[in-house]
Amino acid sequence: MGPRRGKMAKRPSKKVGSQTKSELTMDQLLTKTQELMDDNNYELALQTAVKAIELDENNTRALLLASIIQLESGDIEPALNCLLRCVEISPDRGFEKYMYLGQFTVELQSVKYYQLGINAIQLDLNDMAKDSEHALVLRRKMAEAYVAMTEIYLTDCCFESDAESKCEEFLRLGSEADPQCPEVYQTMASVRLSQNQPENARECITKSMSLWANKDQNDPTQIPSYENRLALVRLLLELDDKDGALNIMERLQKEDDESVDLWYLYGWTYYLQGEEADANGGDKAEVFASARECFKQAIKLATLQEFENDGLVDHARELVTVISSALPSTNGDNLEEDAAEAQELDWENISSGDDDDVEMSV
């Protein structure tokens, strides 16, 4: 009698065409990572990107995607490590890593990274037709990098001895890279204001807005970003164009009515209109009341969103108190209550509605 055979274990069946994550190719992993990012599923996207890096630790696309996911999640240090690893692997090609490094570093180091990104873009442009669609996209990115460098010299590096000449140089190069880039001329307006040239600043803003005012306002690729248009509002207010600022804000409100900056700027615009009416002997009460409501909305949203710009919120609270002191008490208005509300909103009152409504406001 032969040896007794044991019962053989069944092999797991494998459906035709099915693959586990470890069996996916690099291209499939990268495609899946991008799809998960597009769905805002950053946790699973990062896991997939890590799988790709394990498959090839020198794959710069996988490292870049991992860094973007980490930046979106607020994990700055590991993201920067991934970006710097990309620099080690491919220092000359691949401009995206340098643009991210420029955003998340400061002062002259940031300028250095933007310049390296511009150099990488130029190498890409050398390999394609000058008027191709992709070349136009790259030229826009180059112009935007020059804008970012200019803004650094307008702010963090404004005390550098060559700050003004650098701003002029970068704006010239930006306009040469993409003469149709609105951000170049808007930033030029900021520079002209810093040089006490308000009329030239107005010309720059007119030029900037002419490049997108007649484009499809519902297509984000056709118009400047939300934040960029908020910056435009601030410039218009500096130039005392309150009507122009209000026109821009009305459009921004339709796109996103939960922006703290938007409601603060609304309030500030109405407040300026009230001061102007008062100086001219007009009735300031209506616009002051509108300003107060806008400031209160900004304070409320800032509380809900844990907004970090304390200076802006503090100014809004201060102006609520100023307005309440200036307006006559009607319909049971209580100046002390207004001042107290401006100092600290009652969280229980804010969250007294449905939980779903609160979650949508955050």
Side-chain angles (χ1 to χ4, degrees), residues 31-42 44-45 48:
T31 299
K32 185 63 176 177
T33 300
Q34 188 63 65
E35 290 173 351
L36 291 166
M37 292 170 66
D38 293 340
D39 292 337
N40 295 322
N41 189 345
Y42 293 118
L44 191 53
T48 310

Side-chain angles (χ1 to χ4, degrees), residues 9 156 175 187 361:
D156 296 344
S175 63
T187 306
S361 298

Side-chain angles (χ1 to χ4, degrees), residues 300-321:
K300 175 181 177 179
L301 290 171
T303 304
L304 288 168
Q305 299 172 8
E306 298 182 1
F307 190 71
E308 294 182 357
N309 191 334
D310 291 336
L312 182 150
V313 177
D314 289 343
H315 192 223
R317 288 177 177 139
E318 176 187 340
L319 290 173
V320 168
T321 303

Side-chain angles (χ1 to χ4, degrees), residues 14-279:
K14 184 176 181 180
K15 295 181 180 179
V16 176
S18 68
Q19 289 176 298
T20 65
K21 189 173 292 186
S22 61
E23 295 171 325
L24 293 176
T25 66
M26 176 61 74
D27 286 344
Q28 290 171 323
L29 285 168
L30 295 178
T31 299
K32 185 63 176 177
T33 300
Q34 188 63 65
E35 290 173 351
L36 291 166
M37 292 170 66
D38 293 340
D39 292 337
N40 295 322
N41 189 345
Y42 293 118
E43 182 178 356
L44 191 53
L46 184 57
Q47 293 175 16
T48 310
V50 169
K51 286 286 185 183
I53 295 169
E54 290 172 349
L55 197 61
D56 179 2
E57 62 181 15
N58 292 322
N59 187 289
T60 55
R61 183 61 183 166
L63 288 163
L64 179 65
L65 289 177
S67 70
I68 295 172
I69 297 165
Q70 290 163 332
L71 290 172
E72 289 287 344
S73 304
D75 298 326
I76 306 301
E77 186 174 351
L80 293 179
N81 290 336
C82 286
L83 292 170
L84 292 172
R85 177 63 181 147
C86 289
V87 172
E88 293 176 3
I89 297 168
S90 179
D92 297 326
R93 305 305 287 255
F95 69 91
E96 295 98 333
K97 59 181 176 287
Y98 290 121
M99 299 308 176
Y100 283 109
L101 285 167
Q103 290 180 50
F104 287 91
T105 51
V106 296
E107 300 179 355
L108 295 179
Q109 185 181 28
S110 178
V111 172
K112 181 192 76 171
Y113 283 129
Y114 280 123
Q115 185 61 62
L116 288 169
I118 289 170
N119 296 344
I121 290 175
Q122 188 59 60
L123 290 176
D124 290 341
L125 287 171
N126 293 342
D127 294 338
M128 64 184 68
K130 181 179 179 180
D131 296 327
S132 68
E133 184 175 346
H134 190 42
L136 295 176
V137 171
L138 290 182
R139 288 187 176 280
R140 175 59 55 90
K141 292 186 179 299
M142 181 183 286
E144 290 171 347
Y146 280 123
V147 166
M149 295 161 73
T150 305
E151 290 175 341
I152 292 168
Y153 274 99
L154 270 175
T155 53
D156 296 344
C157 295
C158 64
F159 294 112
E160 295 288 331
S161 60
D162 59 347
E164 185 171 0
S165 63
K166 285 293 186 182
C167 287
E168 298 292 349
E169 177 189 357
F170 294 148
L171 289 172
R172 176 181 59 80
L173 292 170
S175 63
E176 291 174 358
D178 184 0
Q180 302 300 310
C181 179
E183 288 86 349
V184 169
Y185 304 101
Q186 182 172 315
T187 306
M188 194 177 293
S190 295
V191 173
R192 297 294 171 257
L193 278 172
S194 73
Q195 297 168 332
N196 295 316
Q197 300 179 28
E199 291 307 316
N200 287 338
R202 284 190 180 90
E203 292 176 5
C204 292
I205 285 182
T206 300
K207 170 70 172 176
S208 175
M209 294 181 66
S210 71
L211 295 172
W212 61 270
N214 296 322
K215 300 285 183 68
D216 183 358
Q217 301 295 300
N218 296 314
D219 184 353
T221 66
Q222 298 281 322
I223 60 176
S225 68
Y226 192 98
E227 290 301 320
N228 191 278
R229 283 175 285 154
L230 279 176
L232 173 59
V233 169
R234 294 185 178 93
L235 285 174
L236 290 169
L237 291 175
E238 284 192 63
L239 292 168
D240 198 30
D241 186 357
K242 292 182 280 292
D243 290 338
L246 286 170
N247 287 335
I248 300 294
M249 285 189 282
E250 287 171 7
R251 177 64 198 178
L252 291 171
Q253 184 182 353
K254 292 177 182 178
E255 295 178 31
D256 178 8
D257 63 356
E258 295 187 352
S259 166
V260 176
D261 289 279
L262 173 66
W263 288 105
Y264 170 81
L265 289 171
Y266 255 137
W268 182 237
T269 305
Y270 289 134
Y271 182 80
L272 292 176
Q273 287 183 331
E275 284 194 322
E276 185 177 12
D278 190 38

